[in-house]
Amino acid sequence: MTLLRRPPLQLALLLVAVLFAVAVLGLGLVRAAFYEPPSATSVADNGVAAVQAPVPSVAGRCGTQEATAPRELRGMWLTTVYNIDFPSKQGLSQEKVKAEYLKWVDLAVARRHNAIFVHVRPSGDAFWPSEYAPWSNWLTGRLDGSDPGWDPMAFMVDEAHQRNLEFHAWFNPYRGTQPAPSGAGADLTKLPADHALRTHPEWRIAYPTGKNSRLYFDPGVPEARRFVEDAMLEAVRKYDIDGVHFDDFFYPYPEKGEDFPDDASFAKYGAGKSRADWRRENVNLLVREMQQRIAEIKPWVKYGISPFGIWRNGGEGSDTKGLESYDTIYADTRKWVREGWLDYIVPQLYWTIGFDKADYAKVLPWWAKTVKGTSVQLYIGMADYRVGEKGDWSDPAELDRQMAMNDKFGVQGQVHFSAKQVRSDRLGSVSRYQKAHYATPALQPRMERLPVAAPPAPRITGVGRGEKGETILATAATEGVSWALYRTGESRATLVATGRAGAAVVDPAPPSGPVSYCLSGLDRSGNEGPLSEAFTTGPS
């Protein structure tokens, strides 16, 4: 990361804290640690016109009322590396791992999320039986690739779908190990004998030197790039995932005084380019090839990346003074959007409104402008993990204000880092933004690229009451992958529940007195079919 100017003592203390975090977490949680919280300032005019808060999509008419539903991706990252979120410990039994996961997906439902992003390849390993990668030690507690005897990926995808949550499989492409002692570090003897980084030394780079060393697949070697693509695409082929997701780890964040030692591959494949341009093109190739190959295998699977929040500072970049992904980690994120190589992008805007080095109110409009006119949807990575820090993060309303700003700039969703913070609800911040922004269910945003197979209108045949006072609707066979239930109100019919096809159609909190319901079916791309005829309940 780029160090910003601080007093010497502050800087020394900060470096100690950051080195500890890198050694312990190894996940980039310190991306924002170089940015001290700002004093409260007003939001500046950035020369980008804000749009009005998104108008709910119109599904049709339910009786005499227009039926509307918000369309917004709402998700959280479920982090497995270093057992940050899940599983809580290495080497847990199958029963305990399953029980923990069910609590996470139930939490997602309770917080009215509609997607979960699960870390299934944190460092050259796998949370599924793979021909390309060893079993993750964050699951098994072993570095030797021991088989746990069951398939966590199949279970996780199925349970997410039962709750009508999209499952986005989150991969780190090039990391091969994590630092010792929790990971193998650069010690090859701790890896299985058939590990690709043992059998292909020409693919292997150790970085940095010392106790924080990791092994990487060299992004500059075409065969290594193809291998990591194959390893990730194996999951696309084998499982009914809804999305392929990367975060910001391509070339590693730099270590002071050390450059990534890729001299051999640069000499062989550099083709006269500068090293920086060559590295950027290596990352571009991975991003573009993954898009093409996913579409060939399963064209309905979404593809997105969550990069560091700053592309470049000044000029055509944002009005910021921080680390630049373009120059520091060779991620030309703007190019990916302009070329349409992604379905969605989730920049990590882990700073407060008014922060002088990276002001949320300045970075967000830059991203909104960047995606404008493209087919790429903009979601924002939200810093739930920073709530409670000193300064502006001590205000529980900060995330609420940021999400209100997201609405004004037409953002189509949020992903929250991470699941543990969503559960802990620090300072009541999660409950606050849920009430303001996630008060009702939401359908997924439509993507024009995805296949369309909107189902015909279903039919409601009767209603009943459950033990907790909920309304249970009887329906004729409903086609499609999921359903959406609308209920009439004072002026319009609104979305009150969603579910997977085959699940009971339930209004969990019906009002007293007669109302009318309408039901629709949706395909796996979020395309909604016509509404059923309105079914009116009798007096309560």
Side-chain angles (χ1 to χ4, degrees), residues 162-164 462 464 466 470-476 478 482-485 496-508 519:
Q162 286 188 38
R163 291 157 178 79
N164 204 30
E470 69 273 25
T471 294
I472 303 173
L473 291 93
T475 65
T478 304
S482 60
W483 51 261
L485 180 65
V496 294
T498 67
R500 206 71 174 176
V505 179
V506 175
D507 178 359
L519 189 67

Side-chain angles (χ1 to χ4, degrees), residues 248 250-254 283 308 323-331:
D248 57 337
F250 297 98
Y251 279 90
Y253 283 93
V283 178
F308 183 74
L323 179 145
E324 300 172 307
S325 66
Y326 181 91
D327 293 303
T328 308
I329 55 175
Y330 310 101

Side-chain angles (χ1 to χ4, degrees), residues 170-189:
W170 168 16
F171 305 93
N172 290 143
Y174 287 119
R175 282 188 169 181
T177 64
Q178 295 290 352
S182 297
D187 186 350
L188 292 172
T189 65

Side-chain angles (χ1 to χ4, degrees), residues 141-160:
R142 299 175 63 91
L143 290 167
D144 59 7
S146 298
D147 188 343
W150 65 291
D151 189 340
M153 181 81 99
F155 173 79
M156 292 189 296
V157 172
D158 180 64
E159 291 294 337

Side-chain angles (χ1 to χ4, degrees), residues 48 58 63 106 121 217 256 326 339 366 411 456 505:
V48 181
V58 178
D106 286 344
R121 178 189 166 90
F217 290 88
K256 186 176 181 180
Y326 181 91
E339 296 293 335
W366 184 89
V411 171
V505 179

Side-chain angles (χ1 to χ4, degrees), residues 73 75 77 306 345-350 360 363-365 367-368 377-384 402-403 405-407 411-417 438:
L73 181 129
W77 281 292
S306 177
I345 194 160
V346 195
Q348 299 165 20
L349 304 192
Y350 292 168
Y360 193 97
V363 185
L364 173 64
W367 280 103
Q377 294 185 351
L378 175 63
Y379 314 145
I380 299 298
M382 306 300 297
D384 291 52
Q402 292 181 6
M403 291 168 68
M405 190 172 291
N406 293 351
D407 288 345
V411 171
Q412 293 181 270
Q414 287 87 209
V415 187
H416 298 269
F417 191 84
Y438 298 168

